[in-house]
Amino acid sequence: MLVASCLVNLCIGSLYAWSVFASPMAAHLTAINGFDVGSLAVVFSVANAVGPITMISGGAVNDRLGPRWVILAGGLLFGGGMIGAGFSTSVAMLVGFYGLGCGLGMGLVYGAVVSNAVKFFPDKKGLVGGIVTAFYGISSVLVPLIANALIAALDVTAAFKALGVAMLAVIVLCSLAIARCPEGYAPAGWKPSGTQPSGETDGKDWRGMLTDPVFYVMMAMLCCGAFSGLMVTSQASALTQSLAGLDAAAAAVAVSLLALANTAGRIVAGFASDRWGAAVTLRRVFLLLVAGMMALCMAKGSALGLFLGGLLVTGFCFGSVMGIYPGFTALQFGARHNSVNYGIMFIGFALAGIVGPLMMNGLYGLFGSYVPAFLVAALLAATGAALTRVYASVTGKGAISSK
């Protein structure tokens, strides 16, 4: 079940290889329409914005019927959206197929897979959440290389169609191997230590979660932590070519390195949160992210190493936040309703996905530089670090641990 869950996430994580498709797709649409279609950042923003819609609605179905049918429906949406993107002849069609189709499909699949996997491992929520989401991240290591090769050998439309068919097949097959976690399941010989937060023993549904002030602190922290990662990921290829002076093929490798750092962060931080607690781990991640943003601010015209260092730190911190949050949400509010609860929490991620890429485009248009966007992201990371203190004050704990 865990292997199947990881393979499903490997497919839907290709959503974050968008920056490799963006430039050739813009050129393709410009050639078809006879005018410059401009930036396609709106496509990526829509894909991120709609995810929580199906995470929440699919989470309710998942809690009642189990994950299999939710993942199957999400796979059909995601694969169909990717295939449809290959037939797009306008920005509106691309927004419909890739933005809505892939975005809604991703929300269905991701929410069901992650929430279900975490329930099977109550003793290692952070680590398992990190592993499952790591495969979501590692997709962006593999897909840019494959997509770049397909685009070079064929064209961008053929790349969309081929990847869509492959991902549809894998998700459908893997959905058959993913079972619903039995109510109250626990590994043989394991019992809670008695240090669990109240949400773990009592459980809170979405209504109870929304009346708890700590939810809003946690969602704001998620938004602050995801902002810089989504901002950079959405335009990583163009950013690398602009700041580091690399060509398209080398930029695709840099995008894959960014995704590799993202993947490593999910596993490392998931493990660390089990050891130190989520709040303590997040505080350290936020402070590291401030340093990463400042490195990118100074990267223009500097050594390639400074740019790559900032890029990898950004990816690592983004992955760390995403790896921590499934288990963090389950520990705070209980595993029983985590499918819906995590979907609602994911709204913080969606807000970052909408604002981050659009803000970077807007500030670059105003100032002709990426530095203002990096400074805003650094400020938000610092705000996230401060919010971990607020979280500790509201809950009366410095950390939440599954130990």
Side-chain angles (χ1 to χ4, degrees):
M1 187 279 303
L2 183 59
V3 171
S5 299
C6 289
L7 288 175
V8 167
N9 266 2
L10 184 67
C11 290
I12 62 168
S14 60
L15 191 74
Y16 293 93
W18 168 250
S19 65
V20 175
F21 294 106
S23 294
M25 197 62 188
H28 173 72
L29 295 181
T30 296
I32 290 176
N33 294 286
F35 59 87
D36 186 2
V37 299
S39 171
L40 297 180
V42 65
V43 178
F44 187 72
S45 291
V46 169
N48 279 289
V50 299
I53 296 172
T54 44
M55 281 189 71
I56 296 168
S57 58
V61 177
N62 184 31
D63 284 341
R64 291 182 176 87
L65 303 178
R68 183 168 297 158
W69 294 108
V70 178
I71 294 169
L72 179 61
L76 292 172
L77 263 176
F78 189 89
M82 191 76 83
I83 294 167
F87 289 98
S88 296
T89 57
S90 67
V91 175
M93 287 183 68
L94 194 59
V95 168
F97 283 118
Y98 193 92
L100 293 177
C102 292
L104 292 171
M106 181 277 293
L108 277 174
V109 173
Y110 185 83
V113 166
V114 175
S115 296
N116 191 65
V118 167
K119 289 177 182 178
F120 273 101
F121 299 89
D123 53 334
K124 293 181 174 63
K125 282 185 172 69
L127 178 60
V128 171
I131 290 172
V132 177
T133 61
F135 275 79
Y136 185 79
I138 206 170
S139 176
S140 299
V141 178
L142 303 176
V143 174
L145 300 177
I146 297 169
N148 209 50
L150 288 171
I151 292 168
L154 303 169
D155 58 41
V156 66
T157 60
F160 270 128
K161 294 169 188 174
L163 288 171
V165 169
M167 290 168 187
L168 177 60
V170 172
I171 295 172
V172 169
L173 289 173
C174 286
S175 69
L176 303 177
I178 299 177
R180 180 179 187 175
C181 182
E183 190 74 29
Y185 172 80
W190 178 83
K191 293 181 179 180
S193 64
T195 60
Q196 306 295 327
S198 60
E200 181 67 34
T201 54
D202 302 332
K204 290 186 178 181
D205 63 10
W206 66 271
R207 297 175 186 84
M209 183 179 72
L210 292 179
T211 61
D212 190 339
V214 76
F215 162 73
Y216 299 96
V217 177
M218 288 174 63
M219 189 170 72
M221 287 161 56
L222 175 58
C223 187
C224 290
F227 185 91
S228 57
L230 290 168
M231 181 184 77
V232 170
T233 300
S234 69
Q235 301 179 52
S237 182
L239 188 67
T240 302
Q241 293 177 63
S242 174
L243 292 183
L246 301 178
D247 61 21
V253 175
V255 172
S256 292
L257 290 175
L258 171 67
L260 189 61
N262 180 338
T263 302
R266 292 169 190 254
I267 298 174
V268 172
F271 176 79
S273 69
D274 284 335
R275 295 285 178 175
W276 303 333
V280 171
T281 306
L282 282 169
R283 187 177 307 134
R284 294 170 181 175
V285 167
F286 280 127
L287 294 175
L288 181 60
L289 184 55
V290 173
M293 288 295 101
M294 298 313 296
L296 289 177
C297 283
M298 299 181 288
K300 181 69 174 179
S302 301
L304 178 62
L306 184 62
F307 171 78
L308 289 177
L311 190 71
L312 294 179
V313 165
T314 302
F316 181 86
C317 293
F318 176 48
S320 296
V321 172
M322 301 315 299
I324 288 169
Y325 256 81
F328 190 22
T329 306
L331 281 164
Q332 183 64 43
F333 302 109
R336 182 178 180 183
H337 305 288
N338 199 47
S339 297
V340 175
N341 288 351
Y342 184 57
I344 296 173
M345 184 70 72
F346 209 72
I347 291 172
F349 176 91
L351 290 173
I354 295 168
V355 177
L358 295 178
M359 187 214 66
M360 174 174 266
N361 265 350
L363 290 178
Y364 185 81
L366 284 174
F367 299 100
S369 169
Y370 290 110
V371 170
F374 294 145
L375 290 174
V376 171
L379 178 61
L380 285 173
T383 301
L387 285 172
T388 63
R389 299 289 185 183
V390 177
Y391 170 83
S393 175
V394 170
T395 60
K397 306 180 185 72
I400 280 187
S401 173
S402 64
K403 296 295 180 184

